[in-house]
Amino acid sequence: MNKIIPGLALFTLFTVCTAAGMELASDGKTQYAIVCDPEAPPADRFAARELKMFLDQSTGADFKIVASAPDKGRFIFLGPLRQAKKIIGEKRFANLKNQEAAIVSADDSIAIAGQGKLGTIYGVYSFLENQIGCRWLTLEGDNIVPKHRTL
């Protein structure tokens, strides 16, 4: 029986910037934390858990999910956080259409944020697929998660 993921066909990735020179993890260690507001919508909190799970599996590192970021550090900002909008650009973020996402890197941080109920999770899956190399073969959990000693 074929299953269709509702709304996936509506997804359009707005921007992907390759994080040239950024090292997310090496030898099972990371200096990055995933920032997601604990009061964010359920889909954004789910996106944070998915990103953590697949990055952990791929690198062997433990990517922490934190509620806020100190002034300095290396972060992956998820959802419409102030820091994510600053990296993406307020105008660019505001111009995203329903279910679109932007993935932008700047300095030592990455912002993944989208509009609509599922925009951010679509951005996370796009990042995992296009930058990390993950593949989802079936809805039953048949996934390919490439191992990266250095990512």
mmCIF file of all heavy atoms in Angstrom, residues 26-69:
data_model
loop_
_atom_site.group_PDB
_atom_site.id
_atom_site.type_symbol
_atom_site.label_atom_id
_atom_site.label_comp_id
_atom_site.label_asym_id
_atom_site.label_seq_id
_atom_site.Cartn_x
_atom_site.Cartn_y
_atom_site.Cartn_z
ATOM 1 N N SER A 26 33.302 16.712 14.678
ATOM 2 C CA SER A 26 34.521 15.998 14.317
ATOM 3 C C SER A 26 34.833 14.980 15.410
ATOM 4 O O SER A 26 34.766 15.302 16.598
ATOM 5 C CB SER A 26 35.684 16.976 14.149
ATOM 6 O OG SER A 26 36.852 16.292 13.742
ATOM 7 N N ASP A 27 35.133 13.769 14.989
ATOM 8 C CA ASP A 27 35.509 12.691 15.920
ATOM 9 C C ASP A 27 34.518 12.530 17.072
ATOM 10 O O ASP A 27 34.909 12.369 18.229
ATOM 11 C CB ASP A 27 36.924 12.915 16.465
ATOM 12 C CG ASP A 27 37.985 12.835 15.375
ATOM 13 O OD1 ASP A 27 37.831 11.995 14.459
ATOM 14 O OD2 ASP A 27 38.944 13.612 15.425
ATOM 15 N N GLY A 28 33.234 12.598 16.758
ATOM 16 C CA GLY A 28 32.204 12.368 17.770
ATOM 17 C C GLY A 28 31.961 13.512 18.733
ATOM 18 O O GLY A 28 31.311 13.335 19.760
ATOM 19 N N LYS A 29 32.478 14.691 18.405
ATOM 20 C CA LYS A 29 32.285 15.863 19.277
ATOM 21 C C LYS A 29 31.749 17.032 18.451
ATOM 22 O O LYS A 29 32.038 17.157 17.275
ATOM 23 C CB LYS A 29 33.597 16.250 19.936
ATOM 24 C CG LYS A 29 34.169 15.191 20.865
ATOM 25 C CD LYS A 29 35.394 15.698 21.563
ATOM 26 C CE LYS A 29 36.112 14.686 22.418
ATOM 27 N NZ LYS A 29 35.435 13.578 22.943
ATOM 28 N N THR A 30 30.973 17.874 19.106
ATOM 29 C CA THR A 30 30.462 19.080 18.458
ATOM 30 C C THR A 30 30.495 20.248 19.432
ATOM 31 O O THR A 30 30.384 20.062 20.648
ATOM 32 C CB THR A 30 29.022 18.888 17.933
ATOM 33 O OG1 THR A 30 28.638 20.074 17.212
ATOM 34 C CG2 THR A 30 28.026 18.635 19.056
ATOM 35 N N GLN A 31 30.669 21.427 18.885
ATOM 36 C CA GLN A 31 30.562 22.654 19.674
ATOM 37 C C GLN A 31 29.223 23.338 19.408
ATOM 38 O O GLN A 31 28.959 24.406 19.943
ATOM 39 C CB GLN A 31 31.705 23.601 19.322
ATOM 40 C CG GLN A 31 33.062 23.059 19.688
ATOM 41 C CD GLN A 31 34.183 24.012 19.295
ATOM 42 O OE1 GLN A 31 33.959 25.168 18.929
ATOM 43 N NE2 GLN A 31 35.410 23.523 19.374
ATOM 44 N N TYR A 32 28.391 22.726 18.580
ATOM 45 C CA TYR A 32 27.114 23.319 18.188
ATOM 46 C C TYR A 32 25.983 22.846 19.088
ATOM 47 O O TYR A 32 25.969 21.709 19.554
ATOM 48 C CB TYR A 32 26.768 22.961 16.737
ATOM 49 C CG TYR A 32 27.486 23.830 15.750
ATOM 50 C CD1 TYR A 32 28.793 23.546 15.376
ATOM 51 C CD2 TYR A 32 26.880 24.957 15.216
ATOM 52 C CE1 TYR A 32 29.474 24.357 14.485
ATOM 53 C CE2 TYR A 32 27.549 25.775 14.323
ATOM 54 C CZ TYR A 32 28.843 25.465 13.964
ATOM 55 O OH TYR A 32 29.505 26.282 13.093
ATOM 56 N N ALA A 33 25.025 23.726 19.308
ATOM 57 C CA ALA A 33 23.781 23.393 19.987
ATOM 58 C C ALA A 33 22.640 23.813 19.069
ATOM 59 O O ALA A 33 22.755 24.765 18.298
ATOM 60 C CB ALA A 33 23.677 24.120 21.324
ATOM 61 N N ILE A 34 21.543 23.098 19.161
ATOM 62 C CA ILE A 34 20.331 23.414 18.407
ATOM 63 C C ILE A 34 19.462 24.282 19.307
ATOM 64 O O ILE A 34 19.138 23.885 20.428
ATOM 65 C CB ILE A 34 19.589 22.127 18.013
ATOM 66 C CG1 ILE A 34 20.485 21.261 17.116
ATOM 67 C CG2 ILE A 34 18.261 22.453 17.337
ATOM 68 C CD1 ILE A 34 19.999 19.830 16.957
ATOM 69 N N VAL A 35 19.103 25.459 18.834
ATOM 70 C CA VAL A 35 18.296 26.383 19.630
ATOM 71 C C VAL A 35 16.857 26.340 19.127
ATOM 72 O O VAL A 35 16.596 26.617 17.955
ATOM 73 C CB VAL A 35 18.842 27.828 19.553
ATOM 74 C CG1 VAL A 35 18.005 28.751 20.442
ATOM 75 C CG2 VAL A 35 20.309 27.873 19.955
ATOM 76 N N CYS A 36 15.949 25.986 20.021
ATOM 77 C CA CYS A 36 14.517 25.950 19.695
ATOM 78 C C CYS A 36 13.746 26.416 20.914
ATOM 79 O O CYS A 36 13.949 25.907 22.025
ATOM 80 C CB CYS A 36 14.098 24.533 19.302
ATOM 81 S SG CYS A 36 12.367 24.388 18.821
ATOM 82 N N ASP A 37 12.879 27.369 20.709
ATOM 83 C CA ASP A 37 12.052 27.904 21.793
ATOM 84 C C ASP A 37 11.161 26.788 22.348
ATOM 85 O O ASP A 37 10.438 26.145 21.589
ATOM 86 C CB ASP A 37 11.198 29.041 21.238
ATOM 87 C CG ASP A 37 10.344 29.729 22.282
ATOM 88 O OD1 ASP A 37 10.222 29.215 23.424
ATOM 89 O OD2 ASP A 37 9.783 30.788 21.962
ATOM 90 N N PRO A 38 11.190 26.537 23.661
ATOM 91 C CA PRO A 38 10.339 25.483 24.231
ATOM 92 C C PRO A 38 8.846 25.783 24.082
ATOM 93 O O PRO A 38 8.022 24.883 24.201
ATOM 94 C CB PRO A 38 10.751 25.423 25.704
ATOM 95 C CG PRO A 38 11.502 26.675 25.969
ATOM 96 C CD PRO A 38 12.024 27.185 24.663
ATOM 97 N N GLU A 39 8.513 27.030 23.792
ATOM 98 C CA GLU A 39 7.114 27.409 23.561
ATOM 99 C C GLU A 39 6.763 27.424 22.071
ATOM 100 O O GLU A 39 5.664 27.835 21.692
ATOM 101 C CB GLU A 39 6.842 28.792 24.162
ATOM 102 C CG GLU A 39 7.103 28.872 25.666
ATOM 103 C CD GLU A 39 6.222 27.927 26.463
ATOM 104 O OE1 GLU A 39 5.019 27.803 26.159
ATOM 105 O OE2 GLU A 39 6.760 27.285 27.386
ATOM 106 N N ALA A 40 7.686 26.981 21.227
ATOM 107 C CA ALA A 40 7.442 26.949 19.782
ATOM 108 C C ALA A 40 6.320 25.968 19.471
ATOM 109 O O ALA A 40 6.012 25.076 20.283
ATOM 110 C CB ALA A 40 8.721 26.528 19.053
ATOM 111 N N PRO A 41 5.716 26.097 18.300
ATOM 112 C CA PRO A 41 4.666 25.144 17.909
ATOM 113 C C PRO A 41 5.217 23.710 17.915
ATOM 114 O O PRO A 41 6.423 23.497 17.736
ATOM 115 C CB PRO A 41 4.293 25.579 16.490
ATOM 116 C CG PRO A 41 4.737 26.997 16.387
ATOM 117 C CD PRO A 41 5.927 27.137 17.292
ATOM 118 N N PRO A 42 4.339 22.725 18.106
ATOM 119 C CA PRO A 42 4.776 21.326 18.158
ATOM 120 C C PRO A 42 5.622 20.898 16.944
ATOM 121 O O PRO A 42 6.586 20.152 17.109
ATOM 122 C CB PRO A 42 3.472 20.530 18.221
ATOM 123 C CG PRO A 42 2.492 21.473 18.832
ATOM 124 C CD PRO A 42 2.892 22.843 18.350
ATOM 125 N N ALA A 43 5.288 21.364 15.761
ATOM 126 C CA ALA A 43 6.049 20.973 14.569
ATOM 127 C C ALA A 43 7.497 21.466 14.649
ATOM 128 O O ALA A 43 8.420 20.758 14.221
ATOM 129 C CB ALA A 43 5.374 21.492 13.302
ATOM 130 N N ASP A 44 7.722 22.651 15.188
ATOM 131 C CA ASP A 44 9.092 23.173 15.318
ATOM 132 C C ASP A 44 9.872 22.396 16.380
ATOM 133 O O ASP A 44 11.062 22.117 16.201
ATOM 134 C CB ASP A 44 9.083 24.660 15.665
ATOM 135 C CG ASP A 44 8.685 25.543 14.487
ATOM 136 O OD1 ASP A 44 8.279 25.009 13.430
ATOM 137 O OD2 ASP A 44 8.779 26.776 14.628
ATOM 138 N N ARG A 45 9.220 22.037 17.480
ATOM 139 C CA ARG A 45 9.896 21.231 18.508
ATOM 140 C C ARG A 45 10.229 19.841 17.963
ATOM 141 O O ARG A 45 11.295 19.294 18.245
ATOM 142 C CB ARG A 45 9.042 21.164 19.776
ATOM 143 C CG ARG A 45 8.900 22.538 20.447
ATOM 144 C CD ARG A 45 8.304 22.479 21.840
ATOM 145 N NE ARG A 45 7.172 21.606 22.014
ATOM 146 C CZ ARG A 45 5.890 21.975 21.922
ATOM 147 N NH1 ARG A 45 5.583 23.229 21.656
ATOM 148 N NH2 ARG A 45 4.922 21.099 22.102
ATOM 149 N N PHE A 46 9.322 19.286 17.155
ATOM 150 C CA PHE A 46 9.574 18.000 16.505
ATOM 151 C C PHE A 46 10.758 18.136 15.543
ATOM 152 O O PHE A 46 11.622 17.255 15.479
ATOM 153 C CB PHE A 46 8.320 17.529 15.753
ATOM 154 C CG PHE A 46 8.516 16.255 14.984
ATOM 155 C CD1 PHE A 46 8.559 15.034 15.642
ATOM 156 C CD2 PHE A 46 8.660 16.274 13.605
ATOM 157 C CE1 PHE A 46 8.736 13.850 14.936
ATOM 158 C CE2 PHE A 46 8.849 15.108 12.894
ATOM 159 C CZ PHE A 46 8.880 13.883 13.556
ATOM 160 N N ALA A 47 10.819 19.245 14.812
ATOM 161 C CA ALA A 47 11.930 19.493 13.889
ATOM 162 C C ALA A 47 13.261 19.493 14.634
ATOM 163 O O ALA A 47 14.253 18.938 14.148
ATOM 164 C CB ALA A 47 11.727 20.825 13.156
ATOM 165 N N ALA A 48 13.297 20.081 15.811
ATOM 166 C CA ALA A 48 14.530 20.108 16.613
ATOM 167 C C ALA A 48 14.944 18.694 17.009
ATOM 168 O O ALA A 48 16.125 18.340 16.923
ATOM 169 C CB ALA A 48 14.340 20.988 17.847
ATOM 170 N N ARG A 49 13.978 17.892 17.439
ATOM 171 C CA ARG A 49 14.292 16.514 17.837
ATOM 172 C C ARG A 49 14.769 15.688 16.637
ATOM 173 O O ARG A 49 15.698 14.884 16.766
ATOM 174 C CB ARG A 49 13.077 15.858 18.501
ATOM 175 C CG ARG A 49 12.739 16.476 19.853
ATOM 176 C CD ARG A 49 11.681 15.682 20.613
ATOM 177 N NE ARG A 49 10.465 15.450 19.867
ATOM 178 C CZ ARG A 49 9.408 16.267 19.846
ATOM 179 N NH1 ARG A 49 9.432 17.390 20.534
ATOM 180 N NH2 ARG A 49 8.334 15.953 19.146
ATOM 181 N N GLU A 50 14.144 15.876 15.487
ATOM 182 C CA GLU A 50 14.563 15.161 14.280
ATOM 183 C C GLU A 50 15.978 15.569 13.873
ATOM 184 O O GLU A 50 16.814 14.720 13.556
ATOM 185 C CB GLU A 50 13.605 15.443 13.114
ATOM 186 C CG GLU A 50 12.265 14.767 13.241
ATOM 187 C CD GLU A 50 12.322 13.276 12.939
ATOM 188 O OE1 GLU A 50 12.343 12.899 11.757
ATOM 189 O OE2 GLU A 50 12.337 12.493 13.905
ATOM 190 N N LEU A 51 16.252 16.870 13.875
ATOM 191 C CA LEU A 51 17.582 17.349 13.508
ATOM 192 C C LEU A 51 18.630 16.758 14.446
ATOM 193 O O LEU A 51 19.660 16.254 14.003
ATOM 194 C CB LEU A 51 17.623 18.877 13.543
ATOM 195 C CG LEU A 51 18.951 19.523 13.150
ATOM 196 C CD1 LEU A 51 19.335 19.175 11.715
ATOM 197 C CD2 LEU A 51 18.868 21.036 13.325
ATOM 198 N N LYS A 52 18.366 16.804 15.738
ATOM 199 C CA LYS A 52 19.289 16.236 16.719
ATOM 200 C C LYS A 52 19.512 14.755 16.458
ATOM 201 O O LYS A 52 20.655 14.286 16.414
ATOM 202 C CB LYS A 52 18.763 16.445 18.136
ATOM 203 C CG LYS A 52 19.653 15.762 19.190
ATOM 204 C CD LYS A 52 19.036 15.731 20.553
ATOM 205 C CE LYS A 52 19.800 14.929 21.572
ATOM 206 N NZ LYS A 52 21.214 14.750 21.445
ATOM 207 N N MET A 53 18.442 13.997 16.287
ATOM 208 C CA MET A 53 18.547 12.556 16.127
ATOM 209 C C MET A 53 19.424 12.198 14.918
ATOM 210 O O MET A 53 20.331 11.373 15.022
ATOM 211 C CB MET A 53 17.166 11.926 15.970
ATOM 212 C CG MET A 53 17.214 10.416 15.781
ATOM 213 S SD MET A 53 15.573 9.673 15.614
ATOM 214 C CE MET A 53 15.088 10.276 13.996
ATOM 215 N N PHE A 54 19.161 12.838 13.783
ATOM 216 C CA PHE A 54 19.903 12.487 12.577
ATOM 217 C C PHE A 54 21.338 13.012 12.615
ATOM 218 O O PHE A 54 22.253 12.331 12.143
ATOM 219 C CB PHE A 54 19.155 12.943 11.323
ATOM 220 C CG PHE A 54 17.964 12.080 11.020
ATOM 221 C CD1 PHE A 54 16.679 12.550 11.224
ATOM 222 C CD2 PHE A 54 18.125 10.785 10.556
ATOM 223 C CE1 PHE A 54 15.579 11.749 10.962
ATOM 224 C CE2 PHE A 54 17.029 9.971 10.293
ATOM 225 C CZ PHE A 54 15.750 10.452 10.492
ATOM 226 N N LEU A 55 21.568 14.193 13.176
ATOM 227 C CA LEU A 55 22.945 14.676 13.311
ATOM 228 C C LEU A 55 23.731 13.792 14.273
ATOM 229 O O LEU A 55 24.897 13.466 14.017
ATOM 230 C CB LEU A 55 22.970 16.131 13.775
ATOM 231 C CG LEU A 55 22.580 17.185 12.742
ATOM 232 C CD1 LEU A 55 22.557 18.578 13.382
ATOM 233 C CD2 LEU A 55 23.502 17.156 11.539
ATOM 234 N N ASP A 56 23.102 13.386 15.378
ATOM 235 C CA ASP A 56 23.760 12.489 16.333
ATOM 236 C C ASP A 56 24.134 11.172 15.659
ATOM 237 O O ASP A 56 25.255 10.678 15.811
ATOM 238 C CB ASP A 56 22.855 12.201 17.536
ATOM 239 C CG ASP A 56 22.696 13.371 18.492
ATOM 240 O OD1 ASP A 56 23.288 14.449 18.263
ATOM 241 O OD2 ASP A 56 21.942 13.203 19.477
ATOM 242 N N GLN A 57 23.190 10.591 14.924
ATOM 243 C CA GLN A 57 23.447 9.313 14.240
ATOM 244 C C GLN A 57 24.551 9.456 13.197
ATOM 245 O O GLN A 57 25.388 8.573 13.049
ATOM 246 C CB GLN A 57 22.182 8.810 13.545
ATOM 247 C CG GLN A 57 21.146 8.237 14.458
ATOM 248 C CD GLN A 57 19.914 7.786 13.700
ATOM 249 O OE1 GLN A 57 19.939 7.542 12.504
ATOM 250 N NE2 GLN A 57 18.804 7.685 14.414
ATOM 251 N N SER A 58 24.545 10.553 12.480
ATOM 252 C CA SER A 58 25.507 10.749 11.399
ATOM 253 C C SER A 58 26.922 10.984 11.909
ATOM 254 O O SER A 58 27.884 10.510 11.302
ATOM 255 C CB SER A 58 25.067 11.928 10.527
ATOM 256 O OG SER A 58 25.968 12.129 9.477
ATOM 257 N N THR A 59 27.064 11.706 13.018
ATOM 258 C CA THR A 59 28.388 12.138 13.469
ATOM 259 C C THR A 59 28.887 11.434 14.731
ATOM 260 O O THR A 59 30.074 11.507 15.036
ATOM 261 C CB THR A 59 28.390 13.651 13.759
ATOM 262 O OG1 THR A 59 27.513 13.913 14.862
ATOM 263 C CG2 THR A 59 27.964 14.450 12.544
ATOM 264 N N GLY A 60 27.983 10.822 15.483
ATOM 265 C CA GLY A 60 28.363 10.249 16.774
ATOM 266 C C GLY A 60 28.473 11.300 17.865
ATOM 267 O O GLY A 60 28.764 10.990 19.015
ATOM 268 N N ALA A 61 28.243 12.545 17.532
ATOM 269 C CA ALA A 61 28.292 13.647 18.504
ATOM 270 C C ALA A 61 26.933 13.785 19.189
ATOM 271 O O ALA A 61 25.934 13.246 18.720
ATOM 272 C CB ALA A 61 28.672 14.946 17.813
ATOM 273 N N ASP A 62 26.897 14.529 20.272
ATOM 274 C CA ASP A 62 25.661 14.789 20.992
ATOM 275 C C ASP A 62 25.293 16.254 20.814
ATOM 276 O O ASP A 62 25.819 17.127 21.502
ATOM 277 C CB ASP A 62 25.836 14.460 22.481
ATOM 278 C CG ASP A 62 24.555 14.661 23.279
ATOM 279 O OD1 ASP A 62 23.462 14.757 22.679
ATOM 280 O OD2 ASP A 62 24.653 14.739 24.523
ATOM 281 N N PHE A 63 24.395 16.519 19.872
ATOM 282 C CA PHE A 63 23.920 17.880 19.627
ATOM 283 C C PHE A 63 22.830 18.173 20.645
ATOM 284 O O PHE A 63 21.775 17.546 20.638
ATOM 285 C CB PHE A 63 23.371 18.017 18.204
ATOM 286 C CG PHE A 63 24.428 18.078 17.143
ATOM 287 C CD1 PHE A 63 25.044 16.921 16.697
ATOM 288 C CD2 PHE A 63 24.824 19.290 16.609
ATOM 289 C CE1 PHE A 63 26.022 16.967 15.725
ATOM 290 C CE2 PHE A 63 25.807 19.349 15.639
ATOM 291 C CZ PHE A 63 26.415 18.183 15.190
ATOM 292 N N LYS A 64 23.080 19.089 21.547
ATOM 293 C CA LYS A 64 22.117 19.456 22.584
ATOM 294 C C LYS A 64 21.043 20.367 21.991
ATOM 295 O O LYS A 64 21.317 21.180 21.111
ATOM 296 C CB LYS A 64 22.803 20.191 23.731
ATOM 297 C CG LYS A 64 23.938 19.447 24.374
ATOM 298 C CD LYS A 64 23.437 18.342 25.252
ATOM 299 C CE LYS A 64 24.615 17.737 25.998
ATOM 300 N NZ LYS A 64 24.437 16.348 26.282
ATOM 301 N N ILE A 65 19.836 20.243 22.505
ATOM 302 C CA ILE A 65 18.759 21.173 22.180
ATOM 303 C C ILE A 65 18.634 22.109 23.373
ATOM 304 O O ILE A 65 18.456 21.654 24.511
ATOM 305 C CB ILE A 65 17.428 20.459 21.916
ATOM 306 C CG1 ILE A 65 17.562 19.515 20.713
ATOM 307 C CG2 ILE A 65 16.307 21.481 21.689
ATOM 308 C CD1 ILE A 65 16.340 18.657 20.456
ATOM 309 N N VAL A 66 18.759 23.409 23.122
ATOM 310 C CA VAL A 66 18.695 24.403 24.188
ATOM 311 C C VAL A 66 17.574 25.396 23.900
ATOM 312 O O VAL A 66 17.172 25.578 22.750
ATOM 313 C CB VAL A 66 20.049 25.130 24.370
ATOM 314 C CG1 VAL A 66 21.140 24.144 24.772
ATOM 315 C CG2 VAL A 66 20.444 25.883 23.112
ATOM 316 N N ALA A 67 17.083 26.024 24.959
ATOM 317 C CA ALA A 67 15.969 26.964 24.839
ATOM 318 C C ALA A 67 16.401 28.343 24.364
ATOM 319 O O ALA A 67 15.623 29.062 23.748
ATOM 320 C CB ALA A 67 15.245 27.086 26.175
ATOM 321 N N SER A 68 17.630 28.716 24.667
ATOM 322 C CA SER A 68 18.121 30.026 24.247
ATOM 323 C C SER A 68 19.629 29.939 24.090
ATOM 324 O O SER A 68 20.272 29.025 24.587
ATOM 325 C CB SER A 68 17.747 31.106 25.260
ATOM 326 O OG SER A 68 18.344 30.819 26.514
ATOM 327 N N ALA A 69 20.167 30.920 23.394
ATOM 328 C CA ALA A 69 21.600 30.926 23.111
ATOM 329 C C ALA A 69 22.265 32.089 23.828
ATOM 330 O O ALA A 69 21.759 33.207 23.798
ATOM 331 C CB ALA A 69 21.827 31.061 21.609
#
